[in-house]
Amino acid sequence: MSQPDIVHIALVGNPNCGKSSIFNYLTGMRQHVGNFPGVTVDKKTGWLATKTDRKVQIIDLPGTYSLYPTAKDDLVVHETLLDPESRFKPQGIVYVIDASFIAKQLLMLSQILDLGIPVAVVISMSDLRSKKDIRDLEHHLKAHFNVPVLAVSIKNKTNLQALKDLFSSVEWLEPYSGEQRYSFSEKEQILVDGLQKLIRQRYPYRQLLIARYYEQMPFIEPGTKQEIKKLLDELEYNGLEYEYEEITQRYISLEPLKRLTHRMGEIHQQQHTRWVDRITTHPVIGPLLFIVLMFLTFQIIYSWASLPMDWIEQIFMHSTRWVESLPKQSWVTDLIANGLIAGLGGIAVFAPQIALLFLIIAIMEETGYMARVVYLFDPLMRRFGLSGRSLVAMISSGACAVPAIMSTRTIKDKKKRLNTILVSPLISCSARLPVYTVLIGLMVEPGRWAWFNVQGLIFMGVYLLSIFSTLAMALLFKQWLKTDVQHQLLLEMPIYRRPVLRNVLFYTWSKVKIFLLEAGKIIMVISMLLWVLASYGPGDHKARAQKDLATMRFADLQSQRQALASKELEYSYIGHIGKAIEPVIRPLGYDWKIGIALLTSFAAREVFVGTMSTIYSIGDDGSEKSIRERMRAEINPITGKPVYSL
């Protein structure tokens, strides 16, 4: 077999089997997260650095229990492995098996082998079993399936070089030559014979799977679908009935391996998990524990992030002053200082709080606690027309509503899925976090109530308000969205594990990077536009500002500078736009500056803070005050009271 220049290898396995840890280790920072074409399902692809000229692209497919698609995640795996024209078509499959739960993961391995694609097996989290158990498992899997088997542990760094060598090698990338493990019935054999002219697939089992789910396969032409339907009707073929027969047949063939795993017994973590679940899934203690954890989360976000936020704010403020102090001043230096640096600094200052939020979410997911939260709140969520899985989307909305909506694909009940999609954006997301932070910082004086940070308490109150409004709207949508089919929650409880630091930090960094880069692009463009609109105006707007202030008396030079900067901004183009919309927003207590920020925040919520930073930088009076200090000192000229009051 000739060695290809680029090898595509798919990572496949059950949910929570350790695929992501292996993927993150192999690809590191050389990975990309996107969507599969046509569906809102995460697609993670990455490149493995090899010692040869050959490139290895790894595709991390969504976790699924079999090749019978029941949700969009499963359908993506189905299409990727069956579509002969897919650009993600893998030349090999690495099937990942969790060492803690072995027997239930063998069904899908048996199915994949019948696809004819080269397969290697990786036993993840091998540190959970004794060395003897792992050796026995490797031996029996090799003997039973006749495929390469490797046991690894990312946590203990066991066999990691061998893992890289497995992905780099092409020796195992030969089509599986063993016998088909599923024996077709007489009717299925007739069906496959008839499909050979319709579906160009070399392996009969692929043809059978496509025939069972042809309606959901986008790569099958409409005319071919009609021919397949005609053939199925003639044979009176019931795919669901034969799926049960297939599962039974495969499990009988897997009986020797199941007996082996039974002899191995439970691992210590499974016994420990049952003990901890008595607390975390208790009907009274469980919800209280979750509320306490969320309360502590908001306290941490406000208390721990204050110091790095001050550092970042000082760095950007000094950067602005340094640019302004350059000997050759021009409109370019003014644009950089009061446009770009001010706008980007306004959003970068909140990176520590965003990082802490994502860090805590990552730890909850890595430990297995998030699955317990779903199980615990499912009865309550059903009363609002939602599912326990809706809570995952709602918690994810605390980071961003887009991935939260994408996560609803696991909710099988269409009514509950649509209801979740409609209400998830009402949860306060991380894009609103900078807005809440800056406004609470302006309106609420720092202090403590008992042992708690007052600003943190107000911050949690804002989030609780969004949760209550979300549930209220869900209850309303429940009356409108009708369905005749009710699905029960089907959820696997993973064992509790200590989070892998590498995975937690990588997840946090990737989310913060996306937040800063995506928001940064928008803010950069808007900041430059705002600078132009705020620096220029109709006619000689600066002369008009000086004329208006000519007859006024000021207590000191600082007050005069502040008034002049404010007037010049008011007579600029951006001032005219703000004044035009001010009558509409004045009843809310907003001035024209806030109105401009409201308009720009339609591009992205977090742009609100960047806009305010840019506006107040352009309206700078020459003092060394930070943006937040200038906003706190802003006085409403009509009422004489602070603009940003509680």
Side-chain angles (χ1 to χ4, degrees), residues 74 83 100 129 142-143 196 318 331 490 500 531 551:
D74 307 334
D83 183 2
S100 57
R129 295 272 181 192
K142 286 178 182 177
Q196 288 181 352
H318 288 306
W331 67 269
L490 182 62
V500 179
W531 179 87
T551 57

Side-chain angles (χ1 to χ4, degrees), residues 505-522:
L505 294 180
F506 188 85
Y507 174 87
T508 305
W509 164 244
S510 63
K511 296 296 184 183
V512 172
K513 183 177 69 172
I514 291 172
F515 175 81
L516 291 177
L517 290 181
E518 296 304 316
K521 292 175 186 176
I522 301 172

Side-chain angles (χ1 to χ4, degrees), residues 12-15 19 62-68 73-74 77 95 108:
V12 181
N14 289 184
K19 284 191 301 87
T64 181
Y65 293 103
S66 74
L67 291 181
Y68 308 142
D73 293 57
D74 307 334
V77 178
Y95 187 74
M108 189 172 177

Side-chain angles (χ1 to χ4, degrees), residues 393-412:
M394 292 170 68
I395 293 175
S396 299
S397 289
C400 180
V402 175
I405 291 173
M406 290 166 58
S407 70
T408 61
R409 62 183 182 265
T410 59
I411 303 174
K412 296 182 180 180

Side-chain angles (χ1 to χ4, degrees), residues 534-579:
S535 298
Y536 300 95
D540 193 348
H541 70 290
K542 292 187 177 182
R544 290 177 59 194
Q546 292 175 349
K547 183 178 179 181
D548 281 2
L549 298 178
T551 57
M552 296 180 63
R553 295 183 179 180
F554 299 94
D556 50 38
L557 184 61
Q558 184 69 23
S559 301
Q560 184 179 2
R561 286 178 178 176
Q562 185 175 357
L564 180 60
S566 180
K567 274 292 180 183
E568 287 179 354
L569 186 64
E570 189 174 337
Y571 283 133
S572 67
Y573 289 116
I574 198 75
H576 280 74
I577 296 173
K579 290 291 185 178

Side-chain angles (χ1 to χ4, degrees), residues 217-232:
M217 299 292 102
F219 58 88
I220 301 295
E221 297 294 332
T224 306
K225 287 184 178 181
Q226 293 178 1
E227 293 294 329
I228 294 174
K229 183 179 185 304
K230 181 180 178 182
L231 184 58
L232 292 173

Side-chain angles (χ1 to χ4, degrees), residues 4 17 42 108 149 273 364 444:
C17 68
D42 283 347
M108 189 172 177
V149 180
T273 292
M364 291 175 69
V444 181

Side-chain angles (χ1 to χ4, degrees), residues 317-500:
M317 188 171 72
H318 288 306
S319 298
T320 300
R321 296 304 177 213
W322 178 79
V323 173
E324 290 177 337
S325 67
L326 293 176
K328 291 185 178 181
Q329 289 292 314
S330 65
W331 67 269
V332 176
T333 55
D334 193 35
L335 169 63
I336 294 173
N338 296 318
L340 292 180
I341 295 179
L344 294 176
I347 197 67
V349 70
F350 301 103
Q353 292 180 321
I354 303 295
L356 283 172
L357 177 62
F358 282 120
L359 180 70
I360 294 170
I361 291 175
I363 292 173
M364 291 175 69
E365 291 180 346
E366 277 276 314
T367 56
Y369 177 67
M370 195 67 79
R372 274 74 187 176
V373 173
V374 171
Y375 163 77
L376 194 63
F377 284 90
D378 183 63
L380 174 64
M381 303 301 278
R382 285 178 178 273
R383 297 183 181 181
F384 293 92
L386 302 171
S387 162
R389 294 184 185 274
S390 302
L391 193 64
V392 175
M394 292 170 68
I395 293 175
S396 299
S397 289
C400 180
V402 175
I405 291 173
M406 290 166 58
S407 70
T408 61
R409 62 183 182 265
T410 59
I411 303 174
K412 296 182 180 180
D413 189 312
K414 290 184 178 180
K415 174 182 177 180
K416 292 182 173 63
R417 182 166 65 245
L418 181 56
N419 199 346
T420 306
I421 290 172
L422 290 171
V423 302
S424 287
L426 297 178
I427 295 289
S428 294
C429 69
S430 59
R432 303 176 200 177
L433 185 61
V435 182
Y436 294 161
T437 304
V438 72
L439 293 180
I440 291 173
L442 292 172
M443 296 184 298
V444 181
E445 291 295 328
R448 292 196 170 273
W449 180 74
W451 297 281
F452 306 115
N453 185 302
V454 174
Q455 291 179 329
L457 292 173
I458 299 293
F459 190 65
M460 184 175 182
V462 174
Y463 265 79
L464 288 176
L465 181 63
S466 74
I467 292 171
F468 292 145
S469 63
T470 300
L471 293 177
M473 291 303 298
L475 194 61
L476 183 63
F477 287 132
K478 179 185 177 182
Q479 311 304 319
W480 294 343
L481 302 172
K482 303 296 181 182
T483 181
D484 297 327
V485 181
Q486 294 292 330
H487 292 84
Q488 298 300 316
L489 177 68
L490 182 62
L491 180 69
E492 176 191 356
M493 292 288 197
I495 62 172
Y496 288 108
R497 303 186 184 99
R498 283 189 300 174
V500 179

